[in-house]
Amino acid sequence: MEIRYSVCPHDCPDTCSLRVGIDGGKIVKVGGDPSHPITKGVICEKVRAYPKRIYNPSRILYPMRRVGEKGSGKFEKISWATAVGEIVKRWKNLLTAYGPESILPYSYGGTEGVINHSSMDRRLFNKIGATRLKRTICSTAGTLGYKLAYGDSIGTNPIDTINSKLIIFWGINALETNMHQAIFADNARKNGAKIIAIDVHRNKTARWADDFYLILPGSDGALALGLAHIILRDDLADKTFLEKYSYGFREFYAKAMEYPPERVADLTGITKERIEGLAKVYAETKPSLIRIGNGLQHHNNGGMNTWLISLLPALTGAWQDKGGGAIKSNSGYFPLNNNALERPDLIKNSPRTVNMVRLGKALCELNPPVRSLYVYNSNPAIVAPNQNLVLKGLAREDLFTIVHEQVMTDTAKWADIILPATTSFEHADLYISYWHTSVQWAEPVITKMGEAKPNIDVFKLIAHAFGFTESCFLDSEEDIARQALDIPYWHRKGITFERLKKERFIMLNVSGYPFSDGFLTPSGKIEFKSEKALESGLCDMPDYKPIKESRFANAVEENEAPLAEPEVDFPLTLITPPNHFFLNSTFTDIPSFIIKAREPLLEMSTEDAEYRGIEDGDLVIVENKRGRIVIKAKVIDSVLPGVVVSTGLWRRENYKNGSGINALTSDSLSDIGGGATFFSTSVEVEKAV
């Protein structure tokens, strides 16, 4: 068996280095690279099963044209020349008749490889002048909330967290979604560290932690203010650190005094005694680390809550200790030459922008209409909120839809043209992490399956067929990787593409205090108060606002605000965290994972179940004004009363009524950045008759 090396391309912070076994030109085994300082030979069950995905019967291996009704999944094989010719002909007609904004690209994190994620695609759509897509569906609210405090997406180096004596996993099921941080934490625990989890669901990480705080959805900011209140009340803050590095602290002090433990207990569902204990153990244990997760930012108040949590290490001076501080995202350690990657200079018009969270409204309500949709690196029929409206848009006969995909997804079934996509094992790419500090290069380890092509090649074909003559449409993967690293930051570190290609991965030297060069905030300090927040439509002082459902916001474009009217008729809050066997909608094509995951379930408390006459195993209807699903109930005290949980983005066919979980979620936007609010969903549950 021959051994080759690759990198996991999926939207996961661990960005694992992979050791791939090849026999007879086929991948027979995928494992972790033992030489990589983060991966250390350990990867998740999902990626170990990758051969089942690559050689899956549902793999798309050649271009196809729709021959049945939209959504029927009936297609005929065509050539690449025919497919590209038809796309370009239809697009040229649309450009003449309706203008470039009639075309909309739709993509997100189907691959985190820099080249196939955002390079040639941006160049092509910039040149065409297509409607621009605001890609905000996952991490925008939390990222911007953290940046309000620190100015950049940098935090503690994960390798240093083995020195931590207290690690708080806040809103993150790390054993499922950041397993190598959990491994570092477990090693720290062997050296005497304590692990605490704070979440709205008693998940795998909560059960593994030394202590767990089960809170009400969206109450994270209230808890952070309650902890700050006690730290300041009991004189546990690091006054010297705050005096030197903080801005707006005096005003924040007054705000924190409004949140005594008694009030916070009512807001969070935790007793005041537990809040007191958590504040003191956090303030008195050094080094202390908070790993801030993605879950809490998927509320209407997610940006503000992240800002509040991120200020806690500043109160205690935790940043001064090796292994102390916080990690939200470390993508700031990897600046790239985005002007060279995406070529915004090719834009000659002033195209409108559509928020990807509101795809359904964009397809059904935008004027002038979107008349062609190009989907890649995403599966919006499953992952986008307000699913029924999205499907209504995809069903439009006058919408010309192209889907570039590896397997037959729910979205691909709605395509007019399907194009076969390579997996990461079949093309080269550049990889950075938004958690650890390794930059990596991966070569293809097998030849392309069937007629599959990577994103970069397809967009080059379309550009050539349009007759575009700019040299950027001739660039290879290696050309683009060189361009991405061609900025002073990488020059100073002595990191070039040639070196990276030779070494495969390079760890950045970012140990120690992450803000040794100062803070990139307007004040140059940690901001407890921010004039920049005013520009985002917020108050300049972080505060807790309870979550609320927004009824069918009419806004479609990014600069329009949602309408905030509470959904009083639906008393339960629905949370949809990740499933152990899936990554968003990826891996739902692997039969063995479906067997292990069994079926979609709705977890609900004993109190809520008894009130509704529901017993464990009953079929129930979960509904609100957007849609309804039929699902089996699991009565278990994993959540507080008033909360229900369903893990994973299963295919629509896996639900009893063929309607997926995102038929219930709203396309309203978060408080900062226009992010999705999947976890601020109000529903009612009743026993199915």
Side-chain angles (χ1 to χ4, degrees), residues 143-194:
T143 296
L144 293 179
Y146 185 89
K147 284 183 176 181
L148 285 176
Y150 298 103
D152 202 357
S153 291
I154 61 173
T156 309
N157 185 341
I159 289 179
D160 289 340
T161 64
I162 194 173
N163 301 296
S164 304
K165 294 302 179 184
L166 175 68
I167 299 175
I168 299 177
F169 289 105
W170 197 321
I172 177 172
N173 185 3
L175 290 179
E176 306 283 14
T177 63
N178 192 187
M179 64 181 296
H180 290 90
Q181 182 63 76
I183 291 172
F184 282 132
D186 208 35
N187 288 333
R189 177 156 57 182
K190 293 172 184 176
N191 294 327
K194 181 176 183 178

Side-chain angles (χ1 to χ4, degrees), residues 4 29 47 72 92 108 114 183 224 260 265 296 302 324 371 382 415 421 428 439 503 512 528 532 581 586 619 639 643:
R4 298 177 185 174
K29 186 177 182 180
V47 178
S72 65
K92 284 184 175 179
Y108 196 67
V114 170
I183 291 172
L296 61 97
R371 298 182 183 274
I382 293 297
V439 56
E503 299 181 25
F528 287 79
K532 194 170 183 179
F581 297 100
T586 306
L619 281 182
V639 292
V643 183

Side-chain angles (χ1 to χ4, degrees), residues 65-66 70-71 75 401-403 411-418:
R65 178 197 290 127
R66 177 172 64 90
K70 283 214 171 190
F75 299 92
T401 301
I402 307 104
V403 176
T411 304
K413 293 176 183 177
W414 292 95
D416 295 290
I417 297 288
I418 295 179

Side-chain angles (χ1 to χ4, degrees), residues 87-88 91-92 95 103 124 128 461-468:
I87 292 168
V88 173
W91 280 4
K92 284 184 175 179
L95 293 174
I103 299 170
L124 176 69
I128 290 173
L461 283 174
I462 295 174
H464 177 74
F466 261 105
F468 297 155

Side-chain angles (χ1 to χ4, degrees), residues 45-90:
E45 181 178 2
K46 295 182 283 287
V47 178
R48 287 202 306 272
Y50 227 97
K52 295 180 181 179
R53 178 173 174 82
I54 296 170
Y55 306 113
N56 196 298
S58 71
R59 184 78 193 272
I60 299 169
L61 297 176
Y62 45 80
M64 294 184 285
R65 178 197 290 127
R66 177 172 64 90
V67 294
E69 294 183 359
K70 283 214 171 190
S72 65
K74 295 180 180 179
F75 299 92
E76 64 178 0
K77 180 180 178 181
I78 58 175
S79 68
W80 268 104
T82 299
V84 173
E86 186 165 333
I87 292 168
V88 173
K89 180 181 178 181
R90 294 283 295 268

Side-chain angles (χ1 to χ4, degrees), residues 147 150-152 154 515 517-525 532:
K147 284 183 176 181
Y150 298 103
D152 202 357
I154 61 173
F515 301 106
D517 295 329
F519 302 94
L520 294 179
T521 55
S523 66
K525 296 184 177 183
K532 194 170 183 179

